[in-house]
Amino acid sequence: MPASSVPAQGERRFQDFLTAAATGKVFSEQEAEDVFGLIMDGLVGESRIAALLMAMRVRGEQPQELIGAVRAMRARMKAVPNAPAGTIDVCGTGGDGHGTLNVSTAVSFVLAALGVPVAKHGNRALSSLSGASDVLEALGVPLKTDPDTLGADLRDRRLAFLSAPEHHPAMRHAASARKALGIRTLFNFIGPLANPAQVRRQLIGVSSMQWMKPIVDTLEKLGSERIWCVCGEIPGDHPDGTAGTIDEVTLAGPAHVEALENGTRFSFSLTPDMAGLPEAPVSAIAGGGPVQNAAALEALLHGSKGPYRDTVLLNAACALHVAGQGMLLKDNRIVPAALKSLVSSAAHVLDNGAALAVLNATRASTSRPGNGQVS
């Protein structure tokens, strides 16, 4: 078959999927893997990608579609080898519309300072104002691309930032369509479930409670061992004056958790008062562009107090449990004293400069020859 006919054939196959989605058809796991594979292989135009994503969003994406799409993405990713045992990722799916400061990126520095290896998977802003890669660039952190170098950083420094476009080059085919739409699509969920270091432990925030169980289902099916999928509740603090949700544990209200631990599934909630932290509205951690968010993160690592710090401490405490560095639960419920203890551990490395030292070491690090990156 002539090479020129391959894209045309892909477009025809995609058209069948698009027509089906427009009539409300739900794809099977295999069909979803096939249709997202066509997108990731560059066989589909931008407008048609956007049309499919919107059709799926309007009719409601389904769990088996998520599993299929994640399989397609993992099959095409550039993996980071030899990550240390117990490596964790902390990330949010985005798409909640709140535009907060970068919480999980800040948590990464805290965890690394406490000796937890973190393979922080992130992207540039697509449905937010400042993605992880944007704020790291503003901080002067070199975004390395060589998998072996990143694996060495995980082992030596306990921290590696994995830029999604570098490890998922197939995603570039959907980037323009996602940015043009500017809303949460299934891709928001796919990326955090395809960490290039193949982590088996994750604290992952989602913007809608309806996706908590499907995300943990997907990760369990794909071999994860310890997962907390969290969704924060915002009583009366949404921009339109109504209650909302957010893809972080926040000070604004309870966080709901769907957990996988030791092969067991369970759910529970936690509140800021369990950690001895004062409540604060989500507006207290409102962010902006990369420069503004980077300045806030650096101030945090220099000892700045306030709701941003407290939010980072609360999320770091949860991540420490997921990493196996503390035990927050008894009978599948939060033990407040244990939560306060882990919050205190996280605060210690902010106060003694250890987390700042991790940032400075990361800034100063250079890539190995062949990576094409310098500090």
Side-chain angles (χ1 to χ4, degrees), residues 30 120 229 254 339 344 361:
Q30 185 59 58
K120 175 70 178 86
C229 184
L339 182 58
S344 179

Side-chain angles (χ1 to χ4, degrees), residues 3-208:
S4 60
S5 67
V6 175
Q9 185 182 57
E11 283 277 3
R12 286 195 296 272
R13 289 185 64 206
F14 189 83
Q15 181 60 47
D16 293 338
F17 286 120
L18 181 57
T19 300
T23 59
K25 174 180 169 58
V26 172
F27 300 130
S28 68
E29 183 178 320
Q30 185 59 58
E31 287 170 331
E33 184 172 351
D34 290 345
V35 69
F36 279 88
L38 290 171
I39 292 172
M40 294 177 193
D41 289 339
L43 301 179
V44 186
E46 176 186 336
S47 62
R48 291 153 71 78
I49 295 172
L52 179 82
L53 295 176
M54 181 59 75
M56 293 179 70
R57 171 72 188 267
V58 169
R59 65 124 160 94
E61 305 97 335
Q62 299 301 308
Q64 71 270 23
E65 295 173 326
L66 177 62
I67 294 174
V70 172
R71 287 191 187 281
M73 189 170 183
R74 288 189 176 195
R76 292 161 174 81
M77 73 182 180
K78 185 165 66 175
V80 174
N82 304 317
T87 298
I88 187 174
D89 188 11
V90 287
C91 63
T93 60
D96 56 37
H98 291 288
T100 60
L101 294 167
N102 296 77
V103 174
S104 59
T105 304
V107 167
S108 300
F109 292 108
V110 173
L111 295 177
L114 288 163
V116 176
V118 184
K120 175 70 178 86
H121 194 202
N123 205 343
R124 296 194 180 276
L126 290 167
S127 58
S128 63
L129 295 174
S130 179
S133 295
D134 299 309
V135 78
L136 289 168
E137 187 174 70
L139 284 166
V141 172
L143 294 177
K144 303 175 185 179
T145 60
D146 178 65
D148 291 328
T149 298
L150 290 162
D153 282 349
L154 272 174
R155 294 187 295 275
D156 299 342
R157 298 188 180 90
R158 295 289 187 258
L159 182 60
F161 291 106
L162 314 182
S163 175
E166 297 294 340
H167 295 275
H168 301 289
M171 289 286 280
R172 72 185 185 278
H173 301 298
S176 295
R178 294 179 65 196
K179 196 164 186 69
L181 286 173
I183 61 169
R184 194 277 298 158
T185 70
L186 195 65
F187 272 104
N188 284 79
F189 301 131
I190 299 170
L193 306 189
N195 185 289
Q198 303 170 81
V199 299
R200 300 179 67 191
R201 295 178 177 236
Q202 280 184 263
L203 174 67
I204 177 169
V206 296
S207 57
S208 172

Side-chain angles (χ1 to χ4, degrees), residues 215-232:
I215 282 175
V216 180
D217 287 344
T218 299
L219 289 171
E220 182 177 24
K221 187 170 185 177
L222 294 174
S224 291
E225 60 186 28
R226 182 174 281 199
I227 302 294
W228 275 23
C229 184
V230 303
C231 183

